[in-house]
Amino acid sequence: VARNLGMIAHADMGDVYRSADVALCLTASRNPSIVLLELMACGTPVVAVRNRHFAWMLGDGGAVFECHASRSEISNTVLTVLTQPELREAHVSRALALVAERFADWTPACALMARAISDPLTE
């Protein structure tokens, strides 16, 4: 059953994420989705299609349930999340730790971007 929630205020997104039993991140592009990190930070178990461009973001693995981008693998992985609470909780714990360790402070990344924008181009 799908329920269209319409436009959701940014301040309410955490509650929406936390209400989900599982979230699907089906991004196949080179650009990682910040939604993946938001879901992980809210303690929502995430099923994500394998994407080599996201490997740097997911650490050593085990923070999300990764699968190939096929209907059978996606559905089997979602079923695993829903039926194996111990495994689900282990992934959620690793995701929360990963977000706290690597993504809780955006100050260094923002400083690098600010420097790149404000410094004149050099050879």
Side-chain angles (χ1 to χ4, degrees):
V1 175
R3 185 172 47 138
N4 184 344
L5 300 177
M7 294 294 291
I8 301 167
H10 189 266
D12 297 329
M13 289 306 299
D15 291 334
V16 172
Y17 292 157
R18 283 185 287 277
S19 72
D21 294 319
V22 62
L24 296 175
C25 184
L26 305 177
T27 304
S29 72
R30 291 178 176 256
N31 301 315
S33 172
I34 192 75
V35 172
L36 178 65
L37 293 176
E38 291 173 346
L39 288 160
M40 292 166 56
C42 287
T44 305
V46 177
V47 171
V49 293
R50 285 192 177 93
N51 185 330
R52 63 186 170 91
H53 303 293
F54 291 10
W56 66 270
M57 191 168 74
L58 298 177
D60 294 331
V64 302
F65 291 83
E66 292 185 272
C67 63
H68 291 288
S70 71
R71 287 180 294 189
S72 60
E73 276 218 34
I74 293 168
S75 60
N76 287 337
T77 306
V78 168
L79 188 59
T80 297
V81 174
L82 296 174
T83 60
Q84 297 186 26
E86 300 84 13
L87 185 59
R88 178 178 60 246
E89 290 307 317
H91 275 69
V92 167
S93 292
R94 285 191 290 273
L96 289 169
L98 177 71
V99 169
E101 177 186 321
R102 296 184 60 200
F103 300 105
D105 182 6
W106 288 90
T107 305
C110 290
L112 285 172
M113 287 189 290
R115 191 168 54 244
I117 292 168
S118 64
D119 286 349
L121 294 176
T122 61
E123 293 183 41

